[in-house]
Amino acid sequence: MEIVERLFAQYGYLVLLIGLPLELIASPIPPGNSTLAYTGYLSYKKILDFLPALAAAYSGVLLGITITYWIGNKFGMPLIEKYGKWLHLKPKYLKKTRNAYEKYGNKMLLFGFFLPGVRQFNSYFAGIMHIPYRTFALYAYIGSFLWVLVFIGIGYVFGNQWQFVFAWIEHFLLVILLILCCTIVVYFLYKWRNRLKNQQDIHKGESE
């Protein structure tokens, strides 16, 4: 955290506009989750304004994931295999992301930002797989906004206790994501069931 604090002290909002794209291109500095949570804390302390900080963070993330998508789309695996080590794209992260895509498909673009290692490779891999840009943008831009909002929200809502809450969430992140995914699935099943029931009631009324 000392690195993140020094960067904010020197550069303010530029840490979000420049640092977050670097993190998503796979530079290890600054770390995305802690940078966003600390941004929320600075907003809580009124050192940064919440909405400009949120906008700067989201803009930086959009820049990073769009660049990495087009790198993957235009140059594919040969570039990653040749220069991946300079971008800290380790083979285990490639395997981890590939397995996740095979299992979850485009949902990885929604929730993959919450997973270190997957987050840095997510957009590269979407480009490598030639996922249509519109599809990529639909899922990844929404997913990245959720990521930014959640972690900035941690710092902003919990204030002086943000580091404790942040450490707890990082520790149980996979469990939290699983619960969130199950909740979303149950919600949409409930909505689908109600819609189907309403349609059946309409058809029943018409037949009578």
Side-chain angles (χ1 to χ4, degrees), residues 75-87 89 94:
F75 300 102
M77 278 305 302
L79 181 72
I80 304 302
E81 291 171 349
K82 188 173 182 179
Y83 299 106
K85 63 181 180 179
W86 303 108
L87 299 173
L89 295 174
L94 170 60

Side-chain angles (χ1 to χ4, degrees), residues 46-57:
K46 308 299 182 184
I47 296 172
L48 297 177
D49 293 323
F50 179 79
L51 289 179
L54 182 66

